[in-house]
Amino acid sequence: MASAIKDQHEHTLAGPAICAGVGVHSGRRVRLSIRPAPTGTGIVFVRSDVTDRDNRIPVTGDSVVDSRLNTVIANADGVRVATIEHLMAALVALGVSNAVVELDGEEVPIMDGSALPFVQLLDRAGFRRQHTPQRFIEVLEPIEVTEGDKTARLVPCDRYEMRFEIDFASAVIGNQVVDFVVDEATFRNEIMAARTFGFAHEVEALRQMGLARGGSLENAVVIDGDRILNDGGLRMEREFVRHKALDAIGDLFVLGAPLLGRYEGVKGGHALNNKLVRELLARPEAWRVVTRTPEMAQTA
């Protein structure tokens, strides 16, 4: 399958993609519909269950309002949508620039904890090429943010690359590194099926906070000491760090376009990724929007 990004034009869906599932934190069942949208729309979430105020939330770097355990966006009226990162990763990796995501609840369904179900959903709907050249965020100067021993940085690169490193005391995880070119083929083959993960001892504390109410062995890899509780174990080698990379791809797509740059993350997560996004946006001299057509690359 050809990459829509490589095609160098914006794409939307050929038809609607519809699914239903449970929110990992809310525990509530949600129906979700991804629909085609014209060029210039970007990715817009719409809360169909909200009728007394503005229910549209365009995804931007400034729309993220919480990133402690997941990525949460909101509009000026306080209407929120949580856990957008896996769907956002699937959209950007498959080259979808414009789509309206309608849902009747506050959280995107967790599905199996990876981006695989969203990729399958988008594939069934199909893709439609649009006339507008694909926009990219080109990184011109290094940007770095840190929190203790956690680091996230963007550096100039003529393609979209990613390196992620994690280090956990648990022998099940340990030190893991992944380094790859972020394109459709690599996402499909190495990243999309990696599931979110957590530790059994953390689950009860999260539930007391009103979180993880929909979490289960059906949608997360759960670790207890040095054991994986899921039947069948892991799906792939280094599944843990691959999922952290998946999250980062989704978190960075709030910028509104794929990157031309190299992302390097060490022990970070959603919060540090969003801090990096905001630092980039605050440094207009460190990036520019470019379009690439088959004939030439030109500054937008």
Side-chain angles (χ1 to χ4, degrees):
M1 179 178 294
S3 168
I5 292 177
K6 286 183 180 177
D7 184 66
Q8 299 185 352
H9 277 76
E10 291 189 353
H11 282 67
T12 188
L13 300 187
I18 300 170
C19 69
V22 172
V24 67
H25 290 301
S26 67
R28 296 171 184 163
R29 188 164 178 82
V30 180
R31 184 178 185 273
L32 179 144
S33 174
I34 313 167
R35 301 186 181 278
T39 58
T41 302
I43 308 301
V44 178
F45 284 80
V46 179
R47 286 277 303 274
S48 62
D49 60 317
V50 175
T51 58
D52 61 341
R53 50 194 159 141
D54 182 13
N55 64 356
R56 293 174 61 86
I57 313 169
V59 180
T60 68
D62 294 329
S63 66
V64 178
V65 295
D66 194 344
S67 52
R68 289 169 295 174
L69 295 172
N70 54 352
T71 296
V72 183
I73 57 172
N75 63 17
D77 283 350
V79 177
R80 298 159 60 99
V81 173
T83 318
I84 68 169
E85 57 269 14
H86 301 166
L87 174 56
M88 291 293 287
L91 289 168
V92 68
L94 272 58
V96 177
S97 302
N98 303 292
V100 173
V101 183
E102 185 175 296
L103 64 168
D104 62 0
E106 64 184 16
E107 188 175 13
V108 173
I110 191 62
M111 309 304 280
D112 73 348
S114 78
L116 173 60
F118 294 121
V119 170
Q120 295 171 332
L121 192 67
L122 295 169
D123 282 344
R124 286 195 295 270
F127 307 95
R128 178 165 58 83
R129 183 178 183 269
Q130 297 176 297
H131 68 274
T132 306
Q134 175 65 56
R135 298 163 61 254
F136 296 85
I137 303 291
E138 182 181 13
V139 179
L140 301 176
E141 298 178 8
I143 298 285
E144 180 173 318
V145 294
T146 60
E147 289 181 359
D149 62 349
K150 302 176 182 179
T151 304
R153 67 171 63 91
L154 289 170
V155 296
C157 186
D158 61 2
R159 60 184 183 178
Y160 192 1
E161 295 182 356
M162 179 168 289
R163 181 188 188 276
F164 213 112
E165 179 177 357
I166 59 174
D167 197 349
F168 284 81
S170 169
V172 172
I173 305 177
N175 181 271
Q176 297 186 3
V177 178
V178 66
D179 196 327
F180 60 101
V181 177
V182 183
D183 59 20
E184 182 175 345
T186 304
F187 187 80
R188 288 179 179 274
N189 294 331
E190 301 179 19
I191 303 297
M192 69 177 183
R195 294 163 294 174
T196 192
F197 62 95
F199 294 90
H201 69 270
E202 297 174 344
V203 173
E204 185 55 37
L206 288 171
R207 287 183 175 163
Q208 288 178 0
M209 295 167 59
L211 300 169
R213 290 175 175 171
S216 72
L217 294 174
E218 300 299 317
N219 53 43
V221 178
V222 180
I223 303 149
D224 186 8
D226 291 330
R227 294 186 306 125
I228 294 174
L229 300 184
N230 305 66
D231 289 340
L234 298 177
R235 287 180 173 175
M236 64 191 78
E237 181 188 10
R238 293 173 290 153
E239 183 170 359
F240 302 104
V241 74
R242 294 179 195 276
H243 184 80
K244 297 291 282 188
L246 188 163
D247 280 344
I249 293 169
D251 289 343
L252 293 173
F253 190 37
V254 301
L255 288 164
L259 289 169
L260 291 176
R262 178 176 171 85
Y263 168 93
E264 298 175 345
V266 179
K267 301 183 181 180
H270 302 300
L272 203 61
N273 292 337
N274 188 245
K275 189 174 180 179
L276 183 66
V277 164
R278 291 178 182 274
E279 181 67 17
L280 182 70
L281 293 175
R283 296 262 312 274
E285 75 283 359
W287 60 280
R288 64 178 178 175
V289 176
V290 298
T291 59
R292 293 191 167 189
T293 66
E295 296 79 22
M296 66 184 70
Q298 51 186 274
T299 302

